[in-house]
């Protein structure tokens, strides 16, 4: 596969900059994948998911919580620097992305500050070719609460505000560690979750801490050369048991978001229920667990666009995205959603 196979033109005005008034106000494009790349495309409202989900289905949510992962400071030379947590690897260590006119050398110190005038030092201890390893002087989560800023995606152009603090977080979020929201979950509120349960559907959770690498552009035209980022995940035993029971009883496993799907398929592939995953899903991948996928619309040339193309068929996804553009759906994190059925044995 080539990177150019996953490109499309998106009008800038379709990139959602703010959430809608209510979580469930978004639109929903149902994509019933069919052979021959002739998907049925059904325009719906998100609340129509109550007619799509069936009794006995299992929805698997990612319960990760977005942390205030963006930090501002100065180098020892006085130059301005910005750190964005990529993933946390210990109580006092993390990998970060750095924005600066000249990146600091290994062994140097940068001084992080907040609006209150407080500061703390961060030591640069390594570099892996893409991300920098840093050491904090005390617990990372405590320092982030005092110094950090909500890390809105690069295509959202406003500074984070109180609305973002609430709405760039799912209602099931409880395990801090993500630097980007699992955005498919943003469409659910407590009321619709209860309505789904009342219908006879079941809910389970996994944790996958979304890393900043999810926004790293794919630069290799030959996709076999792309180096996928790592993300930490954990799947509770009760979720694995719920999946097995659902399959035995003929229900569908519905991943709420690509992060839930990657965690579930990583477990199925490696038989490990926790650890780091760098699973790169492209057309030709054999899905073992997930039957349906609820997801937002993804960036051109992104690994997530490749994932949904693998799941529903490249032609079906091309048709769905063109339809969404023509019908002026809202794109990306604060945008509208798609409900995809898995296309079996079609890798084109």
């Amino acid at each position: 596969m080539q990177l150019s196979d996953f490109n499309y033109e998106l009008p800038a005005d379709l990139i959602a900059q703010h959430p809608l008034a209510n979580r469930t106000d978004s639109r929903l494009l149902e994509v019933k994948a069919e052979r021959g790349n002739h998907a049925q495309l059904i325009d719906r409202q998100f609340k129509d998911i109550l007619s799509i989900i069936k009794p006995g289905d299992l929805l698997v949510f990612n319960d990760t919580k977005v942390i205030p992962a963006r930090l501002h400071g100065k180098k020892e030379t006085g130059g301005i620097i910005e750190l964005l947590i990529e993933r946390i690897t210990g109580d006092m260590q993390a990998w970060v992305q750095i924005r600066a006119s000249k990146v600091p050398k290994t062994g140097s110190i940068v001084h992080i500050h907040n609006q209150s005038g407080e500061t703390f030092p961060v030591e640069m201890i390594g570099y892996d070719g893409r991300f920098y390893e840093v050491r904090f002087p005390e617990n990372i989560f405590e320092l982030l609460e005092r110094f950090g800023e909500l890390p809105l995606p690069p295509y959202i152009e406003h500074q984070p505000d109180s609305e973002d603090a609430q709405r760039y977080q799912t209602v099931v979020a409880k395990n801090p560690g993500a630097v980007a929201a699992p955005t498919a979950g943003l469409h659910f509120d407590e009321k619709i979750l209860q309505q789904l349960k009342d219908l006879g559907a079941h809910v389970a959770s996994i944790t996958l801490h979304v890393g900043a690498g999810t926004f790293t552009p794919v630069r290799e035209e030959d996709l076999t050369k792309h180096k996928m980022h790592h993300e930490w995940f954990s799947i509770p035993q009760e979720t694995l048991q719920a999946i097995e029971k659902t399959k035995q009883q003929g229900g569908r496993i519905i991943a709420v978001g690509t992060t839930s799907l990657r965690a579930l398929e990583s477990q199925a592939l490696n038989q490990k229920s926790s650890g780091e995953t760098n699973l790169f899903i492209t057309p030709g991948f054999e899905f073992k667990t997930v039957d349906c996928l609820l997801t937002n619309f993804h960036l051109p040339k992104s690994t997530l666009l490749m994932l949904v193309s693998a799941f529903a068929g490249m032609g079906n996804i091309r048709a769905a995205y063109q339809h969404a553009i023509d019908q002026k759906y809202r794109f990306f994190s604060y945008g509208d959603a798609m409900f995809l059925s898995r296309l079996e044995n079609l890798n084109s």
Side-chain angles (χ1 to χ4, degrees):
M1 305 302 299
Q2 300 295 306
L3 180 61
S4 55
D5 293 330
F6 300 94
N7 194 23
Y8 67 93
E9 296 296 326
L10 179 69
D13 63 347
L14 296 186
I15 301 174
Q17 294 295 320
H18 296 273
L20 297 173
N22 300 297
R23 291 180 182 270
T24 58
D25 285 348
S26 55
R27 297 166 72 188
L28 177 65
L29 178 60
E30 184 179 3
V31 181
K32 294 184 176 181
E34 294 186 354
R35 296 181 184 280
N37 300 326
H38 299 298
Q40 294 183 54
L41 305 176
I42 305 171
D43 295 307
R44 297 183 179 274
Q45 295 300 123
F46 187 77
K47 292 177 182 178
D48 293 336
I49 198 168
L50 296 169
S51 65
I52 297 174
I53 304 301
K54 303 173 183 177
D57 286 345
L58 178 69
L59 292 95
V60 183
F61 288 82
N62 184 359
D63 65 9
T64 189
K65 186 175 183 179
V66 182
I67 57 176
R70 195 181 304 278
L71 298 164
H72 301 276
K74 290 185 177 181
K75 297 180 288 186
E76 291 177 306
T77 58
I80 295 174
I81 190 169
E82 178 183 294
L83 275 60
L84 176 63
I85 303 292
E86 200 278 325
R87 69 185 188 276
I88 293 171
T89 55
D91 289 343
M92 298 168 61
Q93 286 188 202
W95 291 93
V96 303
Q97 294 181 358
I98 285 180
R99 181 182 295 177
S101 58
K102 188 176 181 181
V103 296
K105 296 179 180 179
T106 299
S108 65
I109 301 293
V110 299
H111 297 276
I112 304 301
H113 58 74
N114 62 15
Q115 294 183 347
S116 299
E118 299 175 288
T119 65
F120 73 89
V122 170
E123 181 184 2
M124 312 299 299
I125 61 175
Y127 178 60
D128 71 352
R130 289 195 299 174
F131 304 115
Y132 295 82
E133 190 173 17
V134 299
R135 181 181 294 118
F136 288 68
E138 54 188 271
N139 183 272
I140 290 177
F141 291 107
E142 295 176 3
L143 288 170
L144 290 176
E145 287 300 321
R146 290 165 50 201
F147 290 85
E149 176 184 282
L150 186 72
L152 290 178
Y155 45 76
I156 292 181
E157 298 174 350
H158 67 267
Q159 290 298 308
D161 55 26
S162 58
E163 178 186 51
D164 298 306
Q166 178 189 11
R167 295 295 301 279
Y168 195 64
Q169 204 79 265
T170 69
V171 296
V172 300
K174 64 178 183 179
N175 292 316
V179 302
T183 54
L186 297 178
H187 303 283
F188 292 85
D189 59 18
E190 297 288 357
K191 180 181 178 180
I192 204 165
L193 282 174
Q194 187 58 52
Q195 289 174 320
L196 286 165
K197 293 175 184 178
D198 292 342
L199 286 172
H202 305 287
V203 172
S205 65
I206 60 93
T207 303
L208 184 143
H209 292 322
V210 190
T214 192
F215 297 117
T216 302
V218 179
R219 295 186 173 89
E220 298 284 354
E221 180 64 20
D222 180 355
L223 298 184
T224 63
K225 297 179 180 179
H226 176 65
K227 185 178 180 181
M228 190 70 173
H229 61 285
H230 288 75
E231 293 170 317
W232 182 88
F233 77 98
S234 177
I235 304 177
Q237 189 61 34
E238 54 265 33
T239 295
L240 293 174
Q241 292 171 349
I243 290 170
E244 183 177 0
K245 181 178 179 181
T246 299
K247 286 186 173 293
Q248 289 175 349
Q249 296 179 347
R252 297 176 298 174
I253 308 302
I254 301 168
V256 180
T258 57
T259 57
S260 293
L261 182 147
R262 288 184 68 236
L264 295 175
E265 296 297 337
S266 293
Q267 188 278 330
L269 192 63
N270 301 312
Q271 298 301 303
K272 294 181 179 179
S273 59
S274 66
E276 288 197 345
T277 179
N278 65 338
L279 181 61
F280 183 23
I281 297 177
T282 58
F285 181 84
E286 183 181 350
F287 294 90
K288 299 181 181 299
T289 300
V290 177
D291 301 302
C292 300
L293 172 64
L294 180 75
T295 185
N296 282 22
F297 294 93
H298 304 294
L299 277 74
K301 297 184 177 181
S302 64
T303 60
L304 300 182
L305 182 57
M306 296 166 197
L307 183 156
V308 297
S309 297
F311 192 80
M314 288 182 64
N316 290 326
I317 290 299
R318 287 194 191 105
Y321 271 60
Q322 189 58 56
H323 177 85
I325 291 169
D326 293 342
Q327 297 300 315
K328 299 191 180 302
Y329 276 67
R330 303 167 74 249
F331 275 63
F332 306 158
S333 294
Y334 280 147
D336 296 316
M338 292 192 296
F339 186 91
L340 306 175
S341 57
R342 188 177 76 190
L343 187 61
E344 301 279 4
N345 303 319
L346 179 62
N347 302 319
S348 63

